[in-house]
Amino acid sequence: MSQRREPTRPTRGEVILRALRNDILNGYLVPGSPLGFADLGARYQASTGVLREVLPRLVEQGLVTVVPQIGYRVVEVSVQDLVHLTEARAAIETQVLAQSIRDGDLDWESSVVAAHHRLSQLSTIRDDGEINTDWLHAHRRFHQVLLEGCPNLRLREVAERLRDISEVYRCWSVRNTEQLQQRDAEHARLAALALERDVEGAKKELTDHIHRTTEVLLAAQKDATRTTS
């Protein structure tokens, strides 16, 4: 009888990466804010060596930028960038999804079902009003799995990086119950169309999903600007 393997414990770098990513997406580290080694070391009880490992990975994910002679910063956000990002995602992610649906096998179908089931069982917002980090990871995984049937790894990497960059715009999001329910229904339709191998239907649903998310974010930003002005 084979021995059961113990789950691999995350490294210190992986723990700090997850904590930093969550703080950026929850708005604790606001767009444009500096990420100095001393401040981060004190905040996360992390060594400079660990931070030198983690910060470039966040740069790769599009959540952090590095400026020569200045250092690391949380990526800046703007309306124009969000619009351009939305156009890029709609063009590339739908193409990858189409290839994924055409080429995905039974294991891919099972992964889509499992990822959507987990996502549907989690609340987006915790009782304290903050974004549920477990939901964030399940949401990222669901969209990632949808594309994993695509055999073109280069296209998948581009699509996933654009999705990662778009996550930072959650700082503009609103916690509206009706909008959350609508988004959950969109995820369900997207999963169903993918499993039905309806390429054109899934592409249209994903395009609409991406654009509707942007519309919600832009409306939230407009309301916030009006409130503070």
Side-chain angles (χ1 to χ4, degrees), residues 26 28 124-132 175:
N26 271 300
Y28 297 131
T124 307
I125 308 300
R126 301 192 316 233
D127 292 341
D128 61 5
E130 297 298 329
I131 295 177
N132 180 358
R175 273 78 173 199

Side-chain angles (χ1 to χ4, degrees), residues 25-162:
L25 297 182
N26 271 300
Y28 297 131
L29 296 171
V30 299
S33 61
L35 299 172
F37 287 108
D39 291 340
L40 293 180
R43 181 178 183 129
Y44 298 102
Q45 298 298 297
S47 67
T48 300
V50 169
L51 293 172
R52 289 188 186 280
E53 170 195 337
V54 166
L55 289 171
R57 293 174 66 183
L58 288 169
V59 172
E60 291 175 1
Q61 293 179 9
L63 300 181
V64 168
T65 59
V66 59
V67 181
Q69 309 302 319
I70 295 178
Y72 293 95
R73 291 181 176 274
V74 179
V75 67
E76 298 275 6
V77 296
S78 70
V79 169
Q80 183 180 52
D81 180 62
L82 177 57
V83 170
H84 290 170
L85 185 59
T86 300
E87 292 175 355
R89 283 190 61 202
I92 295 172
E93 203 167 328
T94 54
Q95 179 182 344
V96 180
L97 177 63
Q99 290 192 28
S100 186
I101 292 173
R102 293 189 186 103
D103 295 332
D105 57 14
L106 183 59
D107 287 339
W108 170 77
E109 289 185 4
S110 299
S111 296
V112 171
V113 172
H116 179 256
H117 177 71
R118 175 166 175 72
L119 179 63
S120 67
Q121 300 305 303
L122 295 170
S123 298
T124 307
I125 308 300
R126 301 192 316 233
D127 292 341
D128 61 5
E130 297 298 329
I131 295 177
N132 180 358
T133 56
D134 287 337
W135 182 89
L136 278 177
H137 290 294
H139 182 243
R140 184 171 187 261
R141 180 59 185 153
F142 170 67
H143 280 279
Q144 192 176 49
V145 165
L146 283 173
L147 307 184
E148 285 184 347
C150 173
N152 190 322
L153 296 180
R154 292 292 187 182
L155 277 176
R156 276 166 50 187
E157 287 173 359
V158 173
E160 288 172 9
R161 185 172 187 276
L162 290 173

Side-chain angles (χ1 to χ4, degrees), residues 132 167 192 216 224:
N132 180 358
E167 291 291 285
V216 169

